[in-house]
Amino acid sequence: MTPLDVIVAARDGKKISRKEIYDFVAAVATHRVPDYLVSAFLMAVYLKGIDRDSAVIFTQALRDSGAVIHYNHLSGPAVDKHSTGGVGDKITLALAPLVAACGVPVPMLAGRGLGHTGGTIDKMEAIPGTQTHLSPARFQEQVETLGVCIGAQTDDFAPVDGIFYALRDVTGTIDSYPLVTASILSKKLAAGASALVLDIKVGRGAFFQTRDRAEILRDWLVGVGRDAGLWVSAFLTNMNEPLGTHVGNALEMREVFDILQGKGPPDTTELTLVLGSEMLMLGGRADSSEHGRALLQQAISDGSGLARMNGLFQAQGGDPSVLEDPNWGISAHLDVLYAPRAGFISHIDALTVGEIARALGAGRMRVDDVIDPEVGMIFLKKSGAHIDKGEPLVHVHHRGDPQSTNIARSCLNAFSFSDDPPKSEALILDIQHGK
Ligand code: URA
């Protein structure tokens, strides 16, 4: 079959064999298929869909388009965690070193900010000197010696996913369940994970905002992941409000530092413990979620989680000691926004906050935009808090020019107020255990 035959079969919803899928991906890997044909293929899959079996093969073909790590010297199964993306979601950066400190190896290929959501790699690069473009050999060596590595997807890992992703981004084919599933899982498999904890976000700040859509995505990821040989646990978690208190790249690193010292906000600390204990169970270190929590809490109180985070950054060339200076990483251009009325904060809209953070320079409007790590928000009050008129609600750190000042002031639009206390929303909406 030529690439065109594969496209026509996908367009007509016909079954494509394992060999045909592998041949097509190999032809894309060696640049023998022009972008217009690849785009046509992606649109055909987007519109017609593919069945689960084909999605598994497609995932494996993307994985095999680059290096695939097989660990030789690990104490147990390597466990990864993936969030579908949110606002203020810095959990990975606290979780990965904590879980590693409890004895479970964590290999992670993470992403940059996408749309209104932040990305782990951008947050890491806020720490001066940090390298995230690591060769597969270097990545493997760090997981085997330190127990944790967080790298960016490069041309070495699942390169055809990189080609597909760039084309999906500009052809309206991002939000396809099988394409998202294959894209996410191929990278996890390439980095050598044996097990995966999924944090699927639901709500205003999530890509798939409704519960129905999040559940469909969960079922795709769990089904294809298991058929491709991973143990997969899946959580649906609330992304209506920004997570934690800090939003922005260096600012979120400050909150990670707090979480690892036992001083983090309740929601980000809780999510770290819940997802982390699931990783410890999949990795064979904990026999219940209570046991897992206790191990993680111990790693917070004895400082071993923080030490592992310092080791992670140092191994990747970064200088995490900057976090010891409480003023580091926070732009001095500050607008404090005050409550326009007395009452309760009934909601802080994650999507509005994410868009404002992006417009301030914490994210990108165009792929080649340069991130400003020092801009973002620190929330002094969250939903449910009783407030007096004129009480400070949020610090917005920005670049200081008139446009940034205006954007910063619009952050008040993210808040809703009420006379009565709002009903509190659950953080964890659903759990499927994977072993
Ligand atoms: N993240 C990925 O890696 N791929 C997608 O398609 C969407 C989110």
Side-chain angles (χ1 to χ4, degrees), residues 82 84 114 153 161 165 168 174 179-181 183-184 187:
H82 180 83
T84 57
L114 195 61
Q153 180 186 18
D161 172 60
Y165 195 89
R168 283 166 60 211
I174 285 282
L179 293 178
V180 170
T181 299
S183 169
I184 290 172
K187 286 171 280 196

Side-chain angles (χ1 to χ4, degrees), residues 63-309:
R63 171 198 67 193
D64 295 339
S65 68
V68 182
I69 295 182
H70 299 282
Y71 295 102
N72 304 315
H73 308 289
L74 285 190
S75 49
V79 185
D80 194 353
K81 169 257 181 188
H82 180 83
S83 159
T84 57
V87 178
D89 183 3
K90 69 281 289 175
I91 305 297
T92 288
L93 288 156
L95 184 71
L98 261 184
V99 168
C102 294
V104 170
V106 184
M108 279 193 176
L109 286 184
R112 297 189 180 279
L114 195 61
H116 65 277
T117 67
T120 298
I121 295 297
D122 294 328
K123 293 170 205 181
M124 286 184 83
E125 288 177 355
I127 300 286
T130 305
Q131 300 296 316
T132 55
H133 283 242
L134 309 172
S135 70
R138 169 78 185 68
F139 186 96
Q140 173 164 2
E141 193 242 286
Q142 189 173 315
V143 176
E144 288 180 342
T145 51
L146 187 68
V148 56
C149 186
I150 308 180
Q153 180 186 18
T154 61
D155 288 348
D156 292 319
F157 292 110
V160 172
D161 172 60
I163 296 171
F164 281 2
Y165 195 89
L167 290 172
R168 283 166 60 211
D169 201 22
V170 292
T171 56
T173 50
I174 285 282
D175 59 336
S176 140
Y177 298 111
L179 293 178
V180 170
T181 299
S183 169
I184 290 172
L185 294 177
S186 59
K187 286 171 280 196
K188 306 292 166 196
L189 291 162
S194 303
L196 175 64
V197 173
L198 291 166
D199 180 10
I200 297 166
K201 301 290 186 199
V202 186
R204 287 282 300 158
F207 277 112
F208 289 93
Q209 292 194 352
T210 64
R211 174 92 183 229
D212 285 358
R213 296 200 71 197
E215 283 180 2
I216 298 173
L217 178 64
R218 189 258 323 270
D219 294 346
W220 270 95
L221 284 164
V222 170
V224 172
R226 289 182 183 164
D227 286 353
L230 285 169
W231 291 316
V232 188
S233 291
F235 291 72
L236 297 183
T237 69
N238 193 325
M239 195 56 257
N240 275 324
E241 288 223 0
L243 278 170
T245 48
H246 290 50
V247 175
N249 294 287
L251 285 95
E252 291 190 40
M253 285 308 309
R254 299 221 60 83
E255 187 176 323
V256 168
F257 191 52
D258 287 345
I259 297 169
L260 289 172
Q261 293 174 93
K263 298 188 291 194
D267 58 348
T268 42
T269 301
E270 177 62 15
L271 206 46
T272 302
L273 294 175
V274 169
L275 299 174
S277 63
E278 191 70 22
M279 291 173 78
L280 294 185
M281 284 197 288
L282 289 177
R285 288 280 156 167
D287 39 36
S288 66
S289 47
E290 294 72 30
H291 182 203
R293 281 180 89 92
L295 293 173
L296 295 164
Q297 268 156 338
Q298 176 66 28
I300 291 175
S301 52
D302 67 15
S304 56
L306 181 59
R308 197 63 66 107
M309 187 198 78

Side-chain angles (χ1 to χ4, degrees), residues 271-419:
L271 206 46
T272 302
L273 294 175
V274 169
L275 299 174
S277 63
E278 191 70 22
M279 291 173 78
L280 294 185
M281 284 197 288
L282 289 177
R285 288 280 156 167
D287 39 36
S288 66
S289 47
E290 294 72 30
H291 182 203
R293 281 180 89 92
L295 293 173
L296 295 164
Q297 268 156 338
Q298 176 66 28
I300 291 175
S301 52
D302 67 15
S304 56
L306 181 59
R308 197 63 66 107
M309 187 198 78
N310 287 335
L312 167 70
F313 277 96
Q314 281 154 359
Q316 295 182 213
D319 176 12
S321 71
V322 291
L323 291 166
E324 280 153 30
D325 170 359
N327 297 319
W328 171 83
I330 307 179
S331 166
H333 298 284
L334 165 67
D335 259 77
V336 183
L337 306 187
Y338 299 94
R341 55 164 283 187
F344 290 88
I345 300 175
S346 55
H347 181 60
I348 304 173
D349 188 60
L351 180 58
T352 309
V353 170
E355 292 292 8
I356 292 173
R358 174 154 79 141
L360 288 173
R364 298 177 186 81
M365 294 299 193
R366 297 157 36 109
V367 272
D368 50 357
D369 281 349
V370 177
I371 294 267
D372 185 334
E374 299 198 340
V375 300
M377 302 89 167
I378 302 176
F379 290 88
L380 309 177
K381 302 277 174 183
K382 300 274 309 266
S383 275
H386 183 267
I387 37 131
D388 293 324
K389 186 170 179 194
E391 205 174 320
L393 298 180
V394 57
H395 286 184
V396 189
H397 296 273
H398 55 87
R399 288 172 164 151
D401 54 280
Q403 195 193 353
S404 298
T405 308
N406 281 339
I407 297 167
R409 291 184 184 158
S410 71
C411 194
L412 214 46
N413 297 338
F415 286 80
S416 306
F417 303 96
S418 59
D419 293 328

